[in-house]
Amino acid sequence: MRKLTSVLVLLVALTAELTAQSAPVTVPRLGLRDIFELEWAAEPQIAPDGRRIVFERGGYDVMKDAARSTLWIVNTDGTELRPLVDPTREASSPRWSPDGSRVLFVSSVGDKSDLFVRWMDTGQEAKLTHLEESPRGLAWSPDGQWIAFTMFVPDDRKPFVQLPAKPDGADWGPEVKFIDQLQYRYDGRGYLRAGHRHVFVVPASGGTSRQLTDGPWDDGEPRWAPDGASLLFSAKRIADADYEPLGSEVYEVQASGGAVKALTTRKGPDEEPVVSPDGTLIAYTGFDDRQQGYQVTRLYVMNRDGSGSRVVSAKLDRDVGGITWARDGRSIYFQYDDQGDTKIGVTDLAGNVRTLAGGVGGLDLGRPYGVGSFSVARDGRFAFTQTAPDHPADVAVGGPAQPVRRLTHLNDDLFAGKQLASVEEIWFESSFDKRRVQGWIARPPGFDPTRKYPLLLEIHGGPFANYGPRFTTEIQLYAAAGYVVLYTNPRGSTSYGEEFGNLIHHDYPNHDYEDLMSGVDAVIAKGFIDPQQLNVTGGSGGGVLTAWIVGHTKRFRAAVVQKPVINWSSFVLTSDEDALYTRYWFPGFPWDNAEQYAKRSPITYVGNVTTPTMLVTGEVDYRTPSSEAEQFYEALRLRKIPTAMVRFPDAPHDISAKPSNMMAKVAYIVGWLDKYRNDPGRAVP
C-alpha cells in the first residue's frame, strides 16, 4: 500500500507540473488522476421480451489499482437505472434465462468465482456452484433447466524427476520449471499451468457440475442446440495443436456426455457455432486458410450434420463476429468494423446486409480500438455498448423501426465542466501509391487555429487492427497536454477489406511508412502545426513503426517506442505465438530467411537514428518481450543518442490494463516529449 501511495503522490505531482507548463487553469481539461474516475458499460444483455437490460458497470478501484465491475439494470425506455446486486460486490457475465425470469451471473470473493442466479420477481438469489476454477462462456439450456460453461481442469502430471525432500524449514527458492511444450507461456496469463479448459454442465437449481469434454485441448464456449440434447463448441482438438494456430473446427457433444463429434474439417479456423431456432442449420465464422497475414473472417451456414457449408457474407468484404440468429431463423445478426467504425448488421441467408447501428465499442479505455458487444431480444430490439470520441462505452438500444437511443451517461459527472479534445476525421492520399488513407485529428481543448501547435503522431498496434472515432483516454490526455494528435489506419489496418489489409503481407513495415508520413504532411498543410515540433509514438505494432520511422527520417523532434518488435528473429523465438508469426507473417523460419527478417527489423537501421527516443516496456510482456526494447535502448546508448527506458515491473503487453500504469505511461511520454519541445513557455490556450 505504501508503494502505491508513493506512486500516486509522484503522479499527482507530475500532473500538477504538466498542467502548470502546458495549460492555464482557465481551460479545465482531463488530468491523469481522472483515469481512476472513468466508468464504462459492458456485456449489455437485453431481456428476451426486450423490456430491460442488465449490464456490467465497470470502473477502477483506486485502492486496489484494478478494474472492477458490478451489475446494473435499466429499462429499454431509459428509466429505472439502478443496481441489480449490491454495488460493492464484484459481479460479471450476466445472462437472462430463456423465459426472462432469472439472471445468471458470475460473482467473485477473493480469487474464487462461482455461478449465481437471481429471480427477477422476488430478488431472491442462490449460489449454484462451489467451483475450484473460474467459469466462462455461460449458456442456459433452451428449457432453462441446465447451464453450460467452460472451466480449467488441471493436469496432474507425474514429475519429470524426483528430488530429495528438503528439510523442514529449509528455503530452496522457487520451484524449478520443467518445460516441454511449444507454447509454455502466454501474455497476460504468465507461465501456463498444466491442464486445459473443458465444457461442463450444472443444474440450474444448483448442484454438482458434470464434465462433458476432456483431453489435451482447450474447448471453446458451448452453445446449446434448440432441443437441448447437445452442445456445440469450437476447438483445436488435433495433434500438435500448438503448431496449428488457425486449426480450429466445430464440434458437438451430447448433453448427457459421450464422444465428441467433429462437424467441420477444412483447413482454416471454424468458430462461433450457433444452431438455428428450428435446429436445421448451423451458422459459424471462419475462412479458408491461405496463410496470408490478414484473412477476412466470413459468415457461413451449414446443415445440422455439418454438410452443405456455404459462405453467406461473400458480398461484405469485412470481418464478421458475434453472430446470433433472429428468432424466425431467416436472418443472422453480427458485428463488423467498417472504416474504423464498429457496426451491428443483419443479413438474410442470401447475404443481403443491412446496417442497424454504428458507434459500437468503448471498452478499450486506453486507445481507440473497436472493442464492444451487443445482444438481441426476441422482438428484434438490441442493446449494445455505444461510444464516441467524447465518452467510453454506455448502454444504447435500437430495434425495428426504432432509432438508436443512448440510455446511460456514466461519465457525465466526471466530464462536467471539463473540455475534451475535439476529434475530426481526415482522409489523405499516400505518397507511395495514391491510396486513400483514413485518420483522425484530436485538437487540444481551447484550440486556436491561428496558433502553431506541436504534433504527435500516435500509431496503432496489431498491425491487423484499426483505430476509429472512439473514446481514448491516452489521446485525450496527450491533447490536454497541448499536443495536436494524429491517429490513422495505414495499409494493413482492418475494416477496409482483405486487399487493403494484405498490402503488408510479408512486407511490414515498409510502405505503411509513406502512409504515415503523408498523414503528417496533410495535417501540417492545415496551417496550425509547427513543422519543427513533430513527435511520434505507438505501441506494439505502433512501436515497430515508431522505431522504423526514426531509423528512416530525422523529421521528428522526439519519439517514444512502446512495447516494440526491434529484431524479428529474436521476437519470433521469444514471443508467445511463434507458430503464428513464422508461418503467417514470414515465409518461414528466421534461419532459412535471414535476409527477410533483417530487412524488416528496426535494429537494422538503428545506425541512422538521431531522434531522442524513449523505450516503454512491461517486464512480464510475453507478446513483445522486454528484450526487444532492451536491444534498441542499448544500441542507441552505444551510439550516444539521447535515450531512456521506462520499465513496468508487473505489466504484460497491455500496460494500461492497470490504471496506475496508464497514468504513469502517459506522464512519462508527455514528460519525454516536453523535454524536447522548443517552446519553454508552452502558452497553450
Side-chain angles (χ1 to χ4, degrees):
M1 182 62 69
R2 285 194 298 271
K3 180 180 178 182
L4 175 58
T5 302
S6 300
V7 170
L8 291 175
V9 169
L10 171 64
L11 291 171
V12 169
L14 280 169
T15 303
E17 180 181 351
L18 293 175
T19 301
Q21 291 178 344
S22 60
V25 296
T26 55
V27 183
R29 49 187 79 189
L30 203 66
L32 295 175
R33 185 60 176 75
D34 291 328
I35 290 173
F36 275 102
E37 305 303 323
L38 290 168
E39 293 188 83
W40 59 91
E43 289 281 350
Q45 297 293 306
I46 192 166
D49 62 8
R51 295 172 56 193
R52 294 176 291 179
I53 301 166
V54 176
F55 65 97
E56 296 178 10
R57 184 167 181 168
Y60 290 125
D61 186 327
V62 69
M63 301 307 294
K64 295 183 179 179
D65 193 21
R68 66 176 304 277
S69 67
T70 189
L71 298 185
W72 282 58
I73 190 168
V74 63
N75 293 335
T76 50
D77 63 3
T79 62
E80 297 189 44
L81 173 65
R82 62 194 187 280
L84 182 67
V85 300
D86 182 343
T88 64
R89 177 182 180 185
E90 186 80 19
S92 62
S93 304
R95 296 292 184 271
W96 289 92
S97 63
D99 64 0
S101 66
R102 293 162 288 172
V103 171
L104 173 71
F105 61 96
V106 175
S107 188
S108 305
V109 179
D111 295 332
K112 291 286 187 179
S113 295
D114 274 296
L115 299 179
F116 290 76
V117 69
R118 182 181 183 87
W119 280 263
M120 299 303 290
D121 57 351
T122 65
Q124 291 178 301
E125 185 178 297
K127 181 178 179 181
L128 303 183
T129 58
H130 293 81
L131 303 175
E132 294 298 318
E133 303 284 345
S134 297
R136 297 181 189 168
L138 315 185
W140 287 91
S141 65
D143 62 5
Q145 299 300 305
W146 293 87
I147 295 161
F149 59 96
T150 66
M151 186 173 67
F152 182 79
V153 179
D155 180 8
D156 296 326
R157 291 187 181 181
K158 181 181 179 181
F160 184 70
V161 296
Q162 289 288 347
L163 298 175
K166 64 182 180 181
D168 291 342
D171 182 1
W172 288 2
E175 186 176 342
V176 173
K177 295 181 177 71
F178 175 74
I179 297 168
D180 63 353
Q181 59 203 55
L182 177 66
Q183 193 172 52
Y184 61 91
R185 61 185 186 182
Y186 200 81
D187 187 67
R189 294 166 58 189
Y191 283 81
L192 300 177
R193 292 190 294 158
H196 295 86
R197 184 164 288 274
H198 291 300
V199 177
F200 289 75
V201 292
V202 65
S205 57
T208 303
S209 302
R210 179 159 47 87
Q211 184 175 339
L212 298 185
T213 64
D214 57 17
W217 309 283
D218 289 311
D219 297 323
E221 297 184 359
R223 292 293 178 263
W224 291 88
D227 61 7
S230 63
L231 297 108
L232 278 70
F233 60 93
S234 176
K236 293 189 296 181
R237 298 177 70 88
I238 54 177
D240 290 337
D242 284 354
Y243 293 84
E244 297 292 338
L246 302 181
S248 59
E249 306 291 353
V250 173
Y251 295 90
E252 180 178 20
V253 65
Q254 296 300 305
S256 57
V260 173
K261 177 184 177 182
L263 298 180
T264 61
T265 56
R266 72 165 164 184
K267 178 179 171 60
D270 293 322
E271 299 177 330
E272 296 188 85
V274 187
V275 184
S276 62
D278 65 3
T280 63
L281 298 172
I282 299 173
Y284 63 104
T285 61
F287 53 80
D288 293 309
D289 187 6
R290 290 162 285 157
Q291 293 197 359
Q292 294 178 167
Y294 173 58
Q295 301 174 83
V296 167
T297 299
R298 303 195 183 278
L299 173 63
Y300 290 80
V301 167
M302 63 183 173
N303 296 327
R304 182 67 180 79
D305 61 1
S307 65
S309 175
R310 59 187 177 89
V311 63
V312 173
S313 63
K315 300 175 185 176
L316 181 68
D317 189 20
R318 300 291 186 268
D319 292 305
V320 170
I323 61 175
T324 184
W325 284 92
R327 187 183 185 188
D328 61 8
R330 298 169 61 183
S331 56
I332 301 169
Y333 296 90
F334 61 94
Q335 189 169 298
Y336 68 104
D337 288 358
D338 180 43
Q339 297 187 351
D341 184 22
T342 305
K343 300 180 178 181
I344 299 170
V346 63
T347 179
D348 61 23
L349 299 187
N352 299 305
V353 174
R354 288 186 297 114
T355 299
L356 303 178
V360 182
L363 295 180
D364 189 313
L365 270 287
R367 296 193 281 166
Y369 289 117
V371 184
S373 64
F374 75 99
S375 62
V376 185
R378 287 192 296 256
D379 63 1
R381 277 184 283 186
F382 55 90
F384 66 100
T385 53
Q386 185 188 65
T387 189
D390 62 352
H391 68 89
D394 273 301
V395 177
V397 66
Q402 177 182 340
V404 168
R405 179 185 178 192
R406 180 179 168 193
L407 301 183
T408 64
H409 296 76
L410 301 181
N411 290 282
D412 278 8
D413 56 338
L414 172 62
F415 295 156
K418 296 183 186 292
Q419 293 187 33
L420 296 178
S422 60
V423 177
E424 170 198 352
E425 181 183 69
I426 181 175
W427 286 85
F428 53 91
E429 286 188 349
S430 172
S431 62
F432 174 66
D433 57 6
K434 304 303 179 184
R435 288 181 185 271
R436 295 183 74 233
V437 178
Q438 187 181 23
W440 293 266
I441 304 169
R443 292 179 169 87
F447 176 78
D448 180 354
T450 67
R451 296 187 57 84
K452 297 288 187 181
Y453 289 82
L455 177 70
L456 176 59
L457 171 63
E458 210 280 352
I459 310 171
H460 76 63
F464 304 114
N466 67 79
Y467 275 169
R470 308 162 180 129
F471 181 81
T472 159
T473 308
E474 294 178 20
I475 289 175
Q476 283 287 342
L477 289 168
Y478 299 145
Y483 292 85
V484 170
V485 186
L486 170 65
Y487 54 104
T488 73
N489 285 335
R491 66 191 62 218
S493 300
T494 57
S495 78
Y496 303 90
E498 188 164 299
E499 191 262 348
F500 188 84
N502 264 303
L503 291 174
I504 64 170
H505 178 59
H506 292 179
D507 195 27
Y508 162 75
N510 194 358
H511 298 304
D512 33 10
Y513 167 79
E514 282 94 345
D515 294 353
L516 294 165
M517 294 304 98
S518 298
V520 170
D521 292 337
V523 180
I524 291 175
K526 290 181 174 291
F528 49 77
I529 297 298
D530 180 350
Q532 302 303 311
Q533 295 210 66
L534 306 181
N535 306 274
V536 60
T537 189
S540 193
V544 177
L545 283 165
T546 302
W548 184 269
I549 284 169
V550 296
H552 286 76
T553 183
K554 300 180 180 5
R555 294 183 68 183
F556 291 88
R557 181 169 291 274
V560 181
V561 177
Q562 305 174 48
K563 50 189 181 183
V565 175
I566 295 300
N567 182 334
W568 285 106
S569 293
S570 59
F571 163 73
V572 299
L573 298 177
T574 55
S575 181
D576 59 353
E577 293 189 337
D578 43 8
L580 175 70
Y581 303 129
T582 55
R583 181 178 300 185
Y584 293 89
W585 290 22
F586 286 89
F589 299 123
W591 50 88
D592 294 325
N593 300 272
E595 183 178 354
Q596 166 85 224
Y597 279 77
K599 179 181 178 181
R600 293 163 55 186
S601 293
I603 194 67
T604 301
Y605 311 97
V606 72
N608 301 332
V609 178
T610 60
T611 304
T613 301
M614 185 168 75
L615 284 300
V616 176
T617 183
E619 292 188 346
V620 291
D621 183 342
Y622 297 135
R623 184 62 41 81
T624 56
S626 290
S627 55
E628 293 298 306
E630 290 162 0
Q631 291 178 63
F632 212 59
Y633 173 80
E634 290 294 343
L636 292 176
R637 272 288 164 193
L638 286 170
R639 294 192 54 244
K640 298 184 178 180
I641 302 301
T643 189
M645 180 163 53
V646 180
R647 302 175 66 90
F648 289 81
D650 57 350
H653 194 61
D654 184 6
I655 294 173
S656 294
K658 181 179 285 190
S660 69
N661 284 351
M662 186 192 301
M663 192 160 50
K665 186 178 79 166
V666 171
Y668 276 106
I669 290 172
V670 171
W672 183 259
L673 302 183
D674 277 357
K675 178 182 171 79
Y676 293 97
R677 281 172 71 166
N678 63 1
D679 56 338
R682 288 188 276 277
V684 178

